[in-house]
Amino acid sequence: MLKAVTLAQLLQATAVCYNLVLPRVSGNESAIARIGEGCADSGETVVNTQENLARFRLVFVIGCMLCGIPSAAGQQPHSPTVSPDNTLKLFLKGYLSDRRFGVDKTTHFSSASVKRSDGTIEEVVVYVSGQSWCGSGGCILLVLEPRGTSYNIIGRASIVWPPIRVLQSSTNGRRDIGVWVQGGGIQPGYQAVLQFNGKRYPGNPTVPPARRLTGETAGEVLIPGAENAQTLFE
């Protein structure tokens, strides 16, 4: 004779059966009934009527919630997404940290993206300031190429001042970058152009292959200054 069981027994049965059986038989009423036969104490049948079958399903979901187990009746859990800003910040924290001396809490950064004609990001330009990164001739400029969830460094230039511009001209498939150079013995200041050599941008805007720009050169300002820079190490 088929017998119904208590809610406590149903919860116990669902907890035992969920991982091994239910994902393979979801939606099959006869199979769900057989789960109860296999898991109930003393060989008693868990489900004997349509009403009890509905109870079984309901209690199964409740049991999963109480046990912290994702139910097949609900949405599957998903990993939190990481925004591009957070991805960049994590990369910079790793790159600009010093294992011997720790981190420079005065570090700030400003960033802007250079996009292709289809709207995808070709590279990210980052201006880094702080006690460890600046001198009388300016601070450092990083040019990063997105690589999956991280970045590849294709340029690190020292003694740079904003404004940082992306020019309309290109070299070896990448846009030329204009930076301001002044101080450290260089007076008056001038605008220099950094051109991609196929692998990297120049590391020093004051010596070749970087060169001085003369006259008006068309371009777009990416980073006008460091006034709105973000703190890196909070």
Side-chain angles (χ1 to χ4, degrees), residues 6 17 35 38 70-71 74 115 122 126 192 203 206 208 212 219 229:
T6 65
C17 297
I35 294 173
S71 166
K115 296 184 178 181
E122 181 176 358
V126 184
T206 66
R212 183 189 297 237

Side-chain angles (χ1 to χ4, degrees), residues 8-18 35-36 39-41 46 56 60:
Q9 289 173 310
L10 282 171
L11 287 172
Q12 182 180 11
T14 56
V16 172
C17 297
Y18 172 73
I35 294 173
C39 294
D41 294 336
V46 173
F56 179 85
F60 170 79

